[in-house]
Amino acid sequence: TVTPTTVPLTWTAPAEDPRAPILGWEVRYTVDGAVHSAVVTGSSATGFTIGGGAGSPVSTALAKGAAVTGIVVRAVNSVGTSAISNVVATSTLKEVGAVSDLALGTVTPTTIALTWTAPVEDPRAPITGYEVRYTVNGVVHSVVLTGSALTGFTIGGGTGSPVSAALPPGAVVSDIDVRPINSVGTTTSSNKVGTTTLQVAPAVTTLASG
């Protein structure tokens, strides 16, 4: 399984001449345009993890979202190195892209509705939830929502973890943002929005009698 920092490989060893048995394997690959090569010693090896800290030179951990292309394996014996295997390519996992269209919905004296469009996700690391962050009268809050299909949330609506409690009328709610979560982690902030909850109309101060 591909992870944020590794790409595991498997293969079947080819038939060999017992007079010149396989001694090891050369794994070649390109990471974001840079060519790498690692030698694996041993005739019985049928797999290798790019970025797993093995091989010679050592195959170091990959960056999240790295494009790993041109992956080939070649058998090595006392005569030399074989032709290349079939070529495979992939990319390491990374966080989901940011939400870009966070918008305000209906505002009441105690709640603020939010809507957004889910960003494109990698099916290997799908969205598992969202983090909603917001500031109420200067105090920062964070609520985690579970579920991949969510496209909205109501601040103050009594859901989320921890529960988003009802807001006070006239509260200043700023720096609202939404961040998708997947198995790799939490992505960067969405666009930010802010507003105030509704409040009772101000008292009349100009009342006068005839």
Side-chain angles (χ1 to χ4, degrees), residues 70-95:
I71 306 170
V72 296
V73 174
R74 304 203 297 174
V76 181
N77 68 3
S78 59
V79 179
T81 304
S82 73
I84 66 171
S85 66
N86 58 302
V87 182
V88 296
T90 187
S91 62
T92 53
L93 303 184
K94 63 179 181 179
E95 296 89 346

PDB file of all heavy atoms in Angstrom, residues 70-95:
ATOM      1  N   GLY A  70       8.622   6.070 -13.831  1.00  0.00           N
ATOM      2  CA  GLY A  70       9.724   5.322 -14.425  1.00  0.00           C
ATOM      3  C   GLY A  70      10.276   4.233 -13.533  1.00  0.00           C
ATOM      4  O   GLY A  70      11.471   3.927 -13.572  1.00  0.00           O
ATOM      5  N   ILE A  71       9.430   3.598 -12.729  1.00  0.00           N
ATOM      6  CA  ILE A  71       9.902   2.575 -11.794  1.00  0.00           C
ATOM      7  C   ILE A  71      10.147   1.266 -12.545  1.00  0.00           C
ATOM      8  O   ILE A  71       9.238   0.727 -13.184  1.00  0.00           O
ATOM      9  CB  ILE A  71       8.881   2.339 -10.669  1.00  0.00           C
ATOM     10  CG1 ILE A  71       8.522   3.650  -9.958  1.00  0.00           C
ATOM     11  CG2 ILE A  71       9.413   1.312  -9.674  1.00  0.00           C
ATOM     12  CD1 ILE A  71       7.346   3.521  -9.007  1.00  0.00           C
ATOM     13  N   VAL A  72      11.364   0.762 -12.467  1.00  0.00           N
ATOM     14  CA  VAL A  72      11.718  -0.508 -13.103  1.00  0.00           C
ATOM     15  C   VAL A  72      12.611  -1.319 -12.163  1.00  0.00           C
ATOM     16  O   VAL A  72      13.251  -0.767 -11.258  1.00  0.00           O
ATOM     17  CB  VAL A  72      12.451  -0.307 -14.442  1.00  0.00           C
ATOM     18  CG1 VAL A  72      11.558   0.384 -15.452  1.00  0.00           C
ATOM     19  CG2 VAL A  72      13.753   0.457 -14.252  1.00  0.00           C
ATOM     20  N   VAL A  73      12.647  -2.631 -12.393  1.00  0.00           N
ATOM     21  CA  VAL A  73      13.522  -3.530 -11.630  1.00  0.00           C
ATOM     22  C   VAL A  73      14.349  -4.344 -12.617  1.00  0.00           C
ATOM     23  O   VAL A  73      13.830  -4.800 -13.645  1.00  0.00           O
ATOM     24  CB  VAL A  73      12.695  -4.470 -10.730  1.00  0.00           C
ATOM     25  CG1 VAL A  73      13.604  -5.501 -10.052  1.00  0.00           C
ATOM     26  CG2 VAL A  73      11.948  -3.678  -9.672  1.00  0.00           C
ATOM     27  N   ARG A  74      15.632  -4.537 -12.294  1.00  0.00           N
ATOM     28  CA  ARG A  74      16.510  -5.352 -13.146  1.00  0.00           C
ATOM     29  C   ARG A  74      17.236  -6.363 -12.263  1.00  0.00           C
ATOM     30  O   ARG A  74      17.757  -6.024 -11.189  1.00  0.00           O
ATOM     31  CB  ARG A  74      17.521  -4.476 -13.872  1.00  0.00           C
ATOM     32  CG  ARG A  74      16.884  -3.376 -14.709  1.00  0.00           C
ATOM     33  CD  ARG A  74      17.781  -2.880 -15.815  1.00  0.00           C
ATOM     34  NE  ARG A  74      19.006  -2.267 -15.322  1.00  0.00           N
ATOM     35  CZ  ARG A  74      20.003  -1.868 -16.113  1.00  0.00           C
ATOM     36  NH1 ARG A  74      19.925  -2.026 -17.422  1.00  0.00           N
ATOM     37  NH2 ARG A  74      21.071  -1.303 -15.607  1.00  0.00           N
ATOM     38  N   ALA A  75      17.252  -7.612 -12.712  1.00  0.00           N
ATOM     39  CA  ALA A  75      17.973  -8.660 -11.992  1.00  0.00           C
ATOM     40  C   ALA A  75      19.469  -8.548 -12.276  1.00  0.00           C
ATOM     41  O   ALA A  75      19.885  -8.176 -13.374  1.00  0.00           O
ATOM     42  CB  ALA A  75      17.458 -10.025 -12.413  1.00  0.00           C
ATOM     43  N   VAL A  76      20.282  -8.880 -11.263  1.00  0.00           N
ATOM     44  CA  VAL A  76      21.736  -8.805 -11.376  1.00  0.00           C
ATOM     45  C   VAL A  76      22.329 -10.189 -11.088  1.00  0.00           C
ATOM     46  O   VAL A  76      21.976 -10.830 -10.092  1.00  0.00           O
ATOM     47  CB  VAL A  76      22.320  -7.787 -10.379  1.00  0.00           C
ATOM     48  CG1 VAL A  76      23.837  -7.706 -10.514  1.00  0.00           C
ATOM     49  CG2 VAL A  76      21.679  -6.417 -10.564  1.00  0.00           C
ATOM     50  N   ASN A  77      23.216 -10.668 -11.977  1.00  0.00           N
ATOM     51  CA  ASN A  77      23.982 -11.879 -11.691  1.00  0.00           C
ATOM     52  C   ASN A  77      25.446 -11.643 -12.029  1.00  0.00           C
ATOM     53  O   ASN A  77      25.854 -10.499 -12.292  1.00  0.00           O
ATOM     54  CB  ASN A  77      23.404 -13.104 -12.421  1.00  0.00           C
ATOM     55  CG  ASN A  77      23.571 -13.039 -13.925  1.00  0.00           C
ATOM     56  OD1 ASN A  77      24.176 -12.097 -14.464  1.00  0.00           O
ATOM     57  ND2 ASN A  77      23.048 -14.042 -14.617  1.00  0.00           N
ATOM     58  N   SER A  78      26.236 -12.690 -12.025  1.00  0.00           N
ATOM     59  CA  SER A  78      27.684 -12.528 -12.232  1.00  0.00           C
ATOM     60  C   SER A  78      28.032 -12.057 -13.635  1.00  0.00           C
ATOM     61  O   SER A  78      29.145 -11.561 -13.877  1.00  0.00           O
ATOM     62  CB  SER A  78      28.396 -13.850 -11.947  1.00  0.00           C
ATOM     63  OG  SER A  78      27.902 -14.885 -12.797  1.00  0.00           O
ATOM     64  N   VAL A  79      27.081 -12.192 -14.563  1.00  0.00           N
ATOM     65  CA  VAL A  79      27.321 -11.780 -15.938  1.00  0.00           C
ATOM     66  C   VAL A  79      27.032 -10.298 -16.134  1.00  0.00           C
ATOM     67  O   VAL A  79      27.706  -9.609 -16.903  1.00  0.00           O
ATOM     68  CB  VAL A  79      26.479 -12.628 -16.915  1.00  0.00           C
ATOM     69  CG1 VAL A  79      26.694 -12.188 -18.356  1.00  0.00           C
ATOM     70  CG2 VAL A  79      26.802 -14.104 -16.741  1.00  0.00           C
ATOM     71  N   GLY A  80      26.037  -9.806 -15.404  1.00  0.00           N
ATOM     72  CA  GLY A  80      25.676  -8.398 -15.555  1.00  0.00           C
ATOM     73  C   GLY A  80      24.261  -8.128 -15.082  1.00  0.00           C
ATOM     74  O   GLY A  80      23.714  -8.867 -14.255  1.00  0.00           O
ATOM     75  N   THR A  81      23.673  -7.084 -15.617  1.00  0.00           N
ATOM     76  CA  THR A  81      22.334  -6.642 -15.225  1.00  0.00           C
ATOM     77  C   THR A  81      21.366  -6.897 -16.376  1.00  0.00           C
ATOM     78  O   THR A  81      21.677  -6.606 -17.536  1.00  0.00           O
ATOM     79  CB  THR A  81      22.343  -5.143 -14.870  1.00  0.00           C
ATOM     80  OG1 THR A  81      23.309  -4.917 -13.848  1.00  0.00           O
ATOM     81  CG2 THR A  81      20.980  -4.700 -14.366  1.00  0.00           C
ATOM     82  N   SER A  82      20.193  -7.426 -16.055  1.00  0.00           N
ATOM     83  CA  SER A  82      19.217  -7.794 -17.074  1.00  0.00           C
ATOM     84  C   SER A  82      18.585  -6.564 -17.712  1.00  0.00           C
ATOM     85  O   SER A  82      18.799  -5.422 -17.279  1.00  0.00           O
ATOM     86  CB  SER A  82      18.110  -8.648 -16.443  1.00  0.00           C
ATOM     87  OG  SER A  82      17.263  -7.830 -15.633  1.00  0.00           O
ATOM     88  N   ALA A  83      17.765  -6.817 -18.725  1.00  0.00           N
ATOM     89  CA  ALA A  83      16.938  -5.756 -19.286  1.00  0.00           C
ATOM     90  C   ALA A  83      15.929  -5.306 -18.233  1.00  0.00           C
ATOM     91  O   ALA A  83      15.686  -5.996 -17.233  1.00  0.00           O
ATOM     92  CB  ALA A  83      16.216  -6.262 -20.528  1.00  0.00           C
ATOM     93  N   ILE A  84      15.339  -4.159 -18.465  1.00  0.00           N
ATOM     94  CA  ILE A  84      14.401  -3.618 -17.475  1.00  0.00           C
ATOM     95  C   ILE A  84      13.090  -4.390 -17.474  1.00  0.00           C
ATOM     96  O   ILE A  84      12.710  -5.020 -18.468  1.00  0.00           O
ATOM     97  CB  ILE A  84      14.129  -2.122 -17.709  1.00  0.00           C
ATOM     98  CG1 ILE A  84      13.395  -1.896 -19.037  1.00  0.00           C
ATOM     99  CG2 ILE A  84      15.400  -1.315 -17.636  1.00  0.00           C
ATOM    100  CD1 ILE A  84      12.912  -0.474 -19.234  1.00  0.00           C
ATOM    101  N   SER A  85      12.420  -4.337 -16.354  1.00  0.00           N
ATOM    102  CA  SER A  85      11.077  -4.899 -16.226  1.00  0.00           C
ATOM    103  C   SER A  85      10.065  -3.991 -16.917  1.00  0.00           C
ATOM    104  O   SER A  85      10.426  -2.981 -17.530  1.00  0.00           O
ATOM    105  CB  SER A  85      10.712  -5.009 -14.740  1.00  0.00           C
ATOM    106  OG  SER A  85      10.612  -3.686 -14.177  1.00  0.00           O
ATOM    107  N   ASN A  86       8.809  -4.350 -16.794  1.00  0.00           N
ATOM    108  CA  ASN A  86       7.763  -3.403 -17.170  1.00  0.00           C
ATOM    109  C   ASN A  86       7.876  -2.157 -16.293  1.00  0.00           C
ATOM    110  O   ASN A  86       8.455  -2.210 -15.193  1.00  0.00           O
ATOM    111  CB  ASN A  86       6.378  -4.028 -17.018  1.00  0.00           C
ATOM    112  CG  ASN A  86       6.110  -4.520 -15.605  1.00  0.00           C
ATOM    113  OD1 ASN A  86       6.862  -5.360 -15.091  1.00  0.00           O
ATOM    114  ND2 ASN A  86       5.069  -4.011 -14.972  1.00  0.00           N
ATOM    115  N   VAL A  87       7.364  -1.042 -16.776  1.00  0.00           N
ATOM    116  CA  VAL A  87       7.495   0.244 -16.073  1.00  0.00           C
ATOM    117  C   VAL A  87       6.191   0.563 -15.348  1.00  0.00           C
ATOM    118  O   VAL A  87       5.096   0.419 -15.917  1.00  0.00           O
ATOM    119  CB  VAL A  87       7.822   1.387 -17.063  1.00  0.00           C
ATOM    120  CG1 VAL A  87       7.997   2.708 -16.324  1.00  0.00           C
ATOM    121  CG2 VAL A  87       9.074   1.053 -17.863  1.00  0.00           C
ATOM    122  N   VAL A  88       6.286   0.986 -14.093  1.00  0.00           N
ATOM    123  CA  VAL A  88       5.116   1.416 -13.334  1.00  0.00           C
ATOM    124  C   VAL A  88       5.352   2.810 -12.780  1.00  0.00           C
ATOM    125  O   VAL A  88       6.489   3.299 -12.752  1.00  0.00           O
ATOM    126  CB  VAL A  88       4.773   0.435 -12.186  1.00  0.00           C
ATOM    127  CG1 VAL A  88       4.392  -0.930 -12.732  1.00  0.00           C
ATOM    128  CG2 VAL A  88       5.936   0.314 -11.209  1.00  0.00           C
ATOM    129  N   ALA A  89       4.287   3.463 -12.361  1.00  0.00           N
ATOM    130  CA  ALA A  89       4.377   4.824 -11.820  1.00  0.00           C
ATOM    131  C   ALA A  89       3.226   5.055 -10.862  1.00  0.00           C
ATOM    132  O   ALA A  89       2.174   4.413 -10.953  1.00  0.00           O
ATOM    133  CB  ALA A  89       4.336   5.856 -12.938  1.00  0.00           C
ATOM    134  N   THR A  90       3.403   5.972  -9.928  1.00  0.00           N
ATOM    135  CA  THR A  90       2.356   6.332  -8.978  1.00  0.00           C
ATOM    136  C   THR A  90       2.734   7.657  -8.327  1.00  0.00           C
ATOM    137  O   THR A  90       3.647   8.349  -8.763  1.00  0.00           O
ATOM    138  CB  THR A  90       2.169   5.234  -7.915  1.00  0.00           C
ATOM    139  OG1 THR A  90       1.031   5.520  -7.098  1.00  0.00           O
ATOM    140  CG2 THR A  90       3.393   5.109  -7.020  1.00  0.00           C
ATOM    141  N   SER A  91       2.044   8.015  -7.278  1.00  0.00           N
ATOM    142  CA  SER A  91       2.406   9.181  -6.461  1.00  0.00           C
ATOM    143  C   SER A  91       2.129   8.834  -5.011  1.00  0.00           C
ATOM    144  O   SER A  91       1.261   7.998  -4.713  1.00  0.00           O
ATOM    145  CB  SER A  91       1.604  10.422  -6.864  1.00  0.00           C
ATOM    146  OG  SER A  91       0.217  10.208  -6.663  1.00  0.00           O
ATOM    147  N   THR A  92       2.883   9.437  -4.103  1.00  0.00           N
ATOM    148  CA  THR A  92       2.629   9.216  -2.684  1.00  0.00           C
ATOM    149  C   THR A  92       1.356   9.963  -2.265  1.00  0.00           C
ATOM    150  O   THR A  92       0.885  10.862  -2.954  1.00  0.00           O
ATOM    151  CB  THR A  92       3.817   9.686  -1.838  1.00  0.00           C
ATOM    152  OG1 THR A  92       4.131  11.038  -2.185  1.00  0.00           O
ATOM    153  CG2 THR A  92       5.035   8.813  -2.071  1.00  0.00           C
ATOM    154  N   LEU A  93       0.813   9.558  -1.144  1.00  0.00           N
ATOM    155  CA  LEU A  93      -0.423  10.167  -0.669  1.00  0.00           C
ATOM    156  C   LEU A  93      -0.155  11.551  -0.074  1.00  0.00           C
ATOM    157  O   LEU A  93       0.949  11.856   0.371  1.00  0.00           O
ATOM    158  CB  LEU A  93      -1.071   9.278   0.392  1.00  0.00           C
ATOM    159  CG  LEU A  93      -1.380   7.837  -0.017  1.00  0.00           C
ATOM    160  CD1 LEU A  93      -2.106   7.113   1.108  1.00  0.00           C
ATOM    161  CD2 LEU A  93      -2.190   7.790  -1.295  1.00  0.00           C
ATOM    162  N   LYS A  94      -1.196  12.371  -0.052  1.00  0.00           N
ATOM    163  CA  LYS A  94      -1.087  13.702   0.556  1.00  0.00           C
ATOM    164  C   LYS A  94      -2.455  14.124   1.070  1.00  0.00           C
ATOM    165  O   LYS A  94      -3.465  13.450   0.846  1.00  0.00           O
ATOM    166  CB  LYS A  94      -0.575  14.723  -0.454  1.00  0.00           C
ATOM    167  CG  LYS A  94      -1.495  14.947  -1.645  1.00  0.00           C
ATOM    168  CD  LYS A  94      -0.912  15.989  -2.588  1.00  0.00           C
ATOM    169  CE  LYS A  94      -1.826  16.230  -3.770  1.00  0.00           C
ATOM    170  NZ  LYS A  94      -1.279  17.272  -4.686  1.00  0.00           N
ATOM    171  N   GLU A  95      -2.483  15.265   1.778  1.00  0.00           N
ATOM    172  CA  GLU A  95      -3.739  15.803   2.262  1.00  0.00           C
ATOM    173  C   GLU A  95      -4.632  16.206   1.081  1.00  0.00           C
ATOM    174  O   GLU A  95      -4.154  16.438  -0.027  1.00  0.00           O
ATOM    175  CB  GLU A  95      -3.514  17.032   3.150  1.00  0.00           C
ATOM    176  CG  GLU A  95      -2.756  16.757   4.443  1.00  0.00           C
ATOM    177  CD  GLU A  95      -1.257  16.891   4.262  1.00  0.00           C
ATOM    178  OE1 GLU A  95      -0.790  16.942   3.106  1.00  0.00           O
ATOM    179  OE2 GLU A  95      -0.550  16.944   5.291  1.00  0.00           O
TER     180      GLU A  95
END
